């Protein structure tokens, strides 16, 4: 029996690769029931004509008419706006949701899917960073909901953890390629252009995560993601720079054994595992040739040159809504950097400003409304800071 699958962010890098997996090696197991996209209505319309899902959502309402016109004759239903995502993921016919939109826009649909008891394959790490506690509590309360990581590092750790008893785990090691500026001095990084930041050495991904990889914020977000997914304190989540991106992460056991997952830098593998878990399935994707592997390197991250990683650890450890602030400020800063409005090194400065301006509410309960309000506050503050950049020093 085929399972009904929804892909949120179907036009993106993860969305497209998910379509490759579910119409390739997993074609017999999944039916493309729903697709969503935000911009690029033309691309969404193309996907609708090709895969003929039962329902689709264009979250940017301005593109609704265009998509509708370009899909005339399609027998499915087109929804629009962020509310359309909630309607799609809670559709009783839906079994599995791949959450692959970018940014905090993923919070509400991810949460709604879990609340409705669905299996969520999670690529959208920002939802766990901004709303980790709420998502994990919902997951526990709403059986049979499941949350399976797609992010390659978390998939690696998840795979290594199978059949490991909790007390046997000492800590986890998240690998990071180091990004294109791993060896640059702080002085050289002052003049980084968007084009240079978008040229990732080992992975091909969407723009936001590629810039996050260059600042190491991506690893910082992943540290917080690992905290929630695996229930580990921050001092048991380590980061190691591994420029070859062959080892996707490791776990360290109490007896000193290290278990790792290796593979080519190809997201289709963790996507497929999230969709076959706990089973496996053969596929025609490229494989690692062990004879070609040499010189795997590992070294500690430089927190001084990459302050975003330090900020993420600090936000994670402080807890509360500070990771929500970090995430929102980062999204605004990255957008401004890509638009050529701020320099590369201003990204961590903006995040730091937003974090220090945030005053923790006393015993604030982090329900959805509070999280969205904090997210909105941090965005507005960051935009103001960008508008008056000279005050950033
Ligand atoms: P992308 O930019 O290629 O695609 C993003 C998708 O989200 C697009 O379909 C877009 O239409 C949609 N979208 C954008 N803004 C939206 C909004 N406001 N509301 C609803 N939908 C919106 O991004 P990507 O690289 O595929 O990354 C998606 C998510 O997966 C991110 O959270 C990223 O961190 C994570 N991730 C990506 C990779 C990768 O290899 N690309 C690896 C690990 C994790
Ligand atoms: Mg990753």
């Amino acid at each position: 029996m085929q399972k009904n699958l929804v892909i949120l962010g179907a036009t993106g890098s993860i969305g497209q690769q998910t379509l490759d997996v579910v119409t390739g090696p997993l074609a017999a197991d999944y039916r493309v029931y729903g697709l969503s996209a935000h911009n690029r209505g033309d691309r969404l319309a193309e996907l609708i004509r090709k895969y003929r899902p039962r329902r689709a959502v264009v979250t940017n309402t301005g593109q609704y008419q265009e998509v509708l016109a370009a899909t005339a004759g399609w027998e499915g239903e087109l929804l629009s706006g962020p509310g359309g995502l909630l309607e799609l993921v809670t559709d009783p016919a839906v079994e599995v949701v791949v959450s692959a939109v970018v940014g905090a826009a993923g919070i509400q649909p991810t949460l709604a899917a879990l609340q409705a008891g669905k299996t969520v394959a999670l690529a959208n790490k920002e939802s766990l960073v901004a709303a980790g506690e709420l998502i994990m509590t919902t997951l526990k309360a709403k059986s049979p909901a499941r949350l399976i990581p797609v992010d390659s590092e978390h998939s690696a750790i998840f795979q290594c953890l199978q059949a490991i008893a909790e007390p046997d785990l000492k800590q986890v090691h998240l690998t990071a390629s180091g990004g294109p500026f791993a060896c640059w001095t702080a002085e050289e990084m002052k003049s980084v252009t968007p084009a240079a930041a978008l040229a990732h050495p080992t992975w091909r991904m969407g723009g936001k995560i590629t810039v996050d990889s260059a600042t190491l914020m991506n690893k910082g977000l992943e540290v917080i993601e690992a905290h929630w997914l695996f229930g580990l304190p921050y001092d048991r989540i380590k980061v190691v720079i591994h420029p070859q991106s062959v080892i996707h992460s490791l776990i360290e056991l109490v007896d000193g054994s290290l278990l790792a997952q290796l593979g080519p830098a190809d997201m289709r593998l963790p996507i497929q595992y999230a969709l076959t878990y706990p089973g496996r399935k053969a596929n025609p994707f490229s494989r690692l040739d062990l004879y070609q592997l040499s010189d795997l390197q590992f070294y500690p991250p430089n927190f001084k040159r990459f302050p975003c990683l330090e900020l993420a650890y600090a936000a994670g450890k402080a807890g509360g809504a500070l990771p929500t602030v970090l995430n929102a400020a980062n999204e605004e800063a990255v957008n401004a950097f890509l638009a050529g409005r701020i320099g590369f090194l201003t990204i961590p400065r903006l995040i730091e400003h937003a974090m220090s301006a945030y005053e923790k509410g006393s015993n604030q309960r982090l329900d959805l409304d509070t999280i969205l309000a904090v997210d909105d506050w941090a965005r507005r503050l960051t935009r103001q800071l960008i508008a008056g950049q000279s005050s950033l020093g």
Side-chain angles (χ1 to χ4, degrees), residues 8 42 46 54 58 75 169 183 244 271 282 307 337 351 382 388:
L8 305 181
D42 55 334
E46 218 175 277
R54 175 72 200 80
V58 54
E75 58 292 348
L169 178 68
C183 303
Q244 293 76 20
I271 292 169
F337 168 70
I351 299 165
T382 308

Side-chain angles (χ1 to χ4, degrees), residues 1-7 28-34 87-99 112-114 116-121 142 144-148 274-275:
M1 263 279 278
Q2 282 178 312
K3 286 188 182 156
N4 284 333
L5 179 84
V6 161
I7 305 173
D29 308 305
Y30 285 97
R31 165 182 178 222
V32 179
Y33 183 91
E87 191 174 337
L88 177 61
V89 301
T90 55
D91 181 328
V94 170
E95 292 163 274
V96 180
V97 175
V98 176
S99 178
L114 293 172
K118 314 290 185 191
T119 292
V120 175
K142 298 286 177 181
R146 292 200 301 181
L147 186 63
I148 304 173
L275 297 175

